[in-house]
Amino acid sequence: MAKKKTTKKTKTAKAVAPRKSTPVRKKVSFQSPRGMHDLLPEDWRILNKLYSKAAEILEFYGFSRIETPIAEEKELFVRTVGEHTDLVEKEMYSLKSRGREDLVLRPEVTAPVVRSYMEHGMHRLPQPVKLYYFSQVFRYEKPQAGRQRQFWQIGAEILGGESDPVYDTQMILICYKLMEELKLGNVMVGINSIGGTNDRQNYKKKLVDYYKKHSKEICKDCQRRIKTNPLRVLDCKVKGCQPIKENAPIILDNLTSASKAHFKQVLEFLEEAGVPYALRPNLVRGLDYYNRTVFEIFVVREEGDELALLGGGRYDYLAEQLGGRPTPGIGAAIGVERVVNAIKEKNPDFGVPRGRKEVYLVHVGQLAKKRSLSLLEEFRAGGLKVLSNLGKTSLSAQLEAANKAEAPLALILGQKEVFEESIIIRDMKSGAQETVPLEKAVREVKKRL
Ligand code: HAM
């Protein structure tokens, strides 16, 4: 080991030592990448509860968990989400790997889940197969409130079986109930039908003809969209485009009778299930794989604008787009960070453990510290939640930490207690203390909690 350089300092020298003689600390300048965030313990308090609540509802309805890899072949999304969607055109993170694979970080999870269903022959299971996931997705978007480049989705998919409107309704019902139980304030379901492939082809033609007449009045993006992905003009938020959009032909007026009947049933079932909804004729969603029902659940924010907490829809042809057999599908995905923010705003006590039951183990001296290691394991086996800080040595510092943690009891172990196989139970409120044999400690603590 290199010897440390020592400099002789006189008292006066120390007193007048200029500040610059102290080593300048380098500023920590690393931050998480733009649009990507750390999820801190206070976020996980909410996330864990949100996940367990979502899992509880989904498992009640017969869904099982699935997780797919974080990367997939690019072609999977080109074929399903669509070549001319923003997601595929501008927002995918490509991976440079040593091999020749053209991989991307998944920008969504529905196509990967359908890929997995096909790859693992899930069509041989009783249909439909119901799957859910808690997955991270990546989109190279312009970061802003509620829009990140890495975020989590809680999603659910119903695959196979019949393309029955009852599943559309069940999916919306599950999403709505979860949002309702989270007490997020003013949430509402927006719903539309974009029909089947034929309905859409006819409708697109009408829409393009109409927009072409207004090509000078619309924004640049709409001018581009009308050529590449016409339905997306209905999503435009630019002020100048709104009057044009309002008078545009409506897709619902252009559905075949079969698509109309499907949609009518979905709405009737929703009414029967007591799920309030609003028809949104301009709701088209940004992914090409949908047909018939599409929906979103919004929260109305204080500023009056709406933020989509989740979105979903039917995608009866997605498996075929991947070369598979006809496999109807319906699903939805929740934007977890958006929901967590809404929870923080509207329901701040969500996930806070009620009536803390942790006790605090305080050790005094080296022998007690050593014994504490095995003692904590004995407490764990006995079902006690015990906090401790074995690095701290002073009794008062540990009692202060116990106070801060709002522990109702402290268990104090000193050298004497180690020898006598006993422990002191201290009531943190009253300060009353009692020594009990170690073998009875768990029972005695449970009695007092
Ligand atoms: P999506 O609408 O693209 O649908 O995303 C679902 C939800 O993810 C959105 O409603 C929103 O809450 C959240 N979200 C989207 N982009 C961002 C972002 N940049 N930052 C934060 N949150 C975001 C899908 O992904 C479909 N795969 C849903 C689905 C499942 N359809 C059928 N099954």
Side-chain angles (χ1 to χ4, degrees):
M1 210 167 111
K3 226 180 163 193
K4 260 191 178 173
K5 243 187 172 180
T6 47
T7 40
K8 250 191 178 174
K9 280 182 192 163
T10 60
K11 249 188 173 178
T12 29
K14 199 178 176 190
V16 292
R19 278 180 98 199
K20 64 178 176 199
S21 71
T22 54
V24 181
R25 274 188 141 199
K26 268 195 186 163
K27 196 177 166 241
V28 179
S29 56
F30 290 106
Q31 292 180 336
S32 60
R34 202 162 121 76
M36 300 183 174
H37 299 290
D38 300 318
L39 289 171
L40 300 174
E42 64 260 33
D43 300 312
W44 279 104
R45 186 196 77 199
I46 297 176
L47 277 166
N48 284 333
K49 176 106 189 267
L50 175 62
Y51 286 155
S52 59
K53 213 166 176 41
E56 179 198 311
I57 299 182
L58 287 162
E59 287 185 12
F60 172 84
Y61 281 101
F63 287 78
S64 310
R65 185 162 177 182
I66 185 172
E67 285 300 328
T68 59
I70 215 153
E72 294 276 353
E73 276 181 65
K74 182 178 174 190
E75 183 67 13
L76 178 72
F77 302 107
V78 173
R79 282 213 217 162
T80 56
V81 170
E83 205 179 342
H84 296 296
T85 54
D86 284 353
L87 212 63
V88 167
E89 258 181 356
K90 306 185 207 158
E91 295 172 5
M92 287 203 291
Y93 281 88
S94 317
L95 288 184
K96 270 193 195 146
S97 58
R98 281 175 182 270
R100 295 229 180 93
E101 296 162 307
D102 204 356
L103 297 184
V104 293
L105 292 179
R106 61 182 171 206
E108 65 101 51
V109 197
T110 307
V113 169
V114 176
R115 192 256 317 127
S116 177
Y117 172 96
M118 290 162 58
E119 186 175 333
H120 297 284
M122 290 191 218
H123 63 275
R124 288 191 289 269
L125 301 174
Q127 304 294 301
V129 174
K130 294 177 166 181
L131 300 166
Y132 75 93
Y133 46 86
F134 300 151
S135 304
Q136 284 173 300
V137 293
F138 301 83
R139 296 183 186 177
Y140 192 80
E141 295 199 73
K142 198 167 163 212
Q144 50 189 285
R147 200 167 286 282
Q148 290 152 227
R149 290 182 172 169
Q150 178 183 2
F151 57 98
W152 288 79
Q153 286 188 340
I154 298 178
E157 316 290 347
I158 302 179
L159 296 166
E162 296 79 30
S163 177
D164 191 315
V166 78
Y167 293 127
D168 307 34
T169 307
Q170 196 163 58
M171 184 54 69
I172 299 169
L173 173 89
I174 292 169
C175 294
Y176 178 73
K177 285 293 163 195
L178 178 60
M179 294 302 119
E180 196 185 36
E181 285 171 25
L182 295 175
K183 301 190 179 69
L184 303 181
N186 200 355
V187 293
M188 54 162 310
V189 177
I191 187 168
N192 193 19
S193 173
I194 55 169
T197 322
N198 287 343
D199 322 42
R200 243 186 348 272
Q201 280 322 103
N202 295 337
Y203 173 68
K204 272 185 194 166
K205 223 171 138 305
K206 281 191 189 167
L207 194 65
V208 171
D209 289 346
Y210 167 82
Y211 264 81
K212 271 189 179 158
K213 284 187 210 140
H214 298 276
S215 60
K216 292 212 173 79
E217 299 150 68
I218 54 177
C219 70
K220 283 234 160 67
D221 271 342
C222 280
Q223 286 173 4
R224 182 179 53 84
R225 286 177 189 136
I226 208 69
K227 286 186 195 133
T228 55
N229 195 355
L231 287 188
R232 296 299 292 166
V233 296
L234 300 176
D235 242 6
C236 181
K237 305 277 182 305
V238 174
K239 217 171 159 200
C241 294
Q242 299 314 301
I244 319 279
K245 196 167 93 177
E246 270 156 34
N247 293 314
I250 286 175
I251 198 160
L252 277 178
D253 296 338
N254 290 277
L255 299 183
T256 57
S257 51
S259 292
K260 265 189 196 149
H262 184 101
F263 194 46
K264 191 163 164 267
Q265 280 242 292
V266 174
L267 300 183
E268 278 171 13
F269 287 151
L270 281 175
E271 276 155 36
E272 174 63 30
V275 177
Y277 63 84
L279 285 181
R280 289 284 169 107
N282 286 339
L283 182 65
V284 284
R285 314 265 302 122
L287 315 158
D288 277 1
Y289 52 61
Y290 292 115
N291 67 301
R292 295 195 167 165
T293 314
V294 287
F295 62 92
E296 290 186 339
I297 295 187
F298 306 95
V299 63
V300 183
R301 295 198 286 193
E302 258 142 44
E303 310 85 72
D305 62 337
E306 293 174 341
L307 184 72
L309 298 176
L310 65 91
R314 178 161 282 291
Y315 48 86
D316 290 339
Y317 306 105
L318 202 159
E320 286 165 80
Q321 284 158 355
L322 296 177
R325 62 184 69 216
T327 309
I330 171 96
I334 297 168
V336 169
E337 282 78 356
R338 291 188 188 183
V339 171
V340 168
N341 285 341
I343 290 174
K344 281 182 181 167
E345 229 174 79
K346 298 281 181 195
N347 191 1
D349 287 341
F350 186 84
V352 175
R354 270 165 223 263
R356 293 179 74 102
K357 285 279 161 58
E358 283 105 342
V359 294
Y360 206 101
L361 175 64
V362 174
H363 68 282
V364 188
Q366 197 60 17
L367 201 62
K369 177 191 274 192
K370 213 158 107 189
R371 179 70 179 94
S372 293
L373 287 167
S374 52
L375 196 54
L376 281 168
E377 274 305 301
E378 288 162 32
F379 288 151
R380 190 167 75 86
L384 280 191
K385 282 190 182 171
V386 186
L387 300 170
S388 64
N389 186 338
L390 297 184
K392 272 196 171 41
T393 44
S394 105
L395 172 68
S396 59
Q398 290 180 71
L399 285 176
E400 200 185 312
N403 246 335
K404 264 201 183 142
E406 294 173 27
L409 300 174
L411 302 176
I412 305 172
L413 188 73
Q415 186 163 313
K416 180 166 171 276
E417 285 72 29
V418 175
F419 284 130
E420 289 177 357
E421 282 283 305
S422 66
I423 197 156
I424 300 166
I425 303 181
R426 179 188 172 95
D427 185 311
M428 291 301 290
K429 240 192 194 154
S430 67
Q433 296 193 165
E434 193 185 338
T435 304
V436 300
L438 252 186
E439 57 180 9
K440 291 192 183 152
V442 171
R443 205 167 352 124
E444 289 297 322
V445 167
K446 282 187 176 166
K447 244 203 274 174
R448 286 165 173 78
L449 284 175

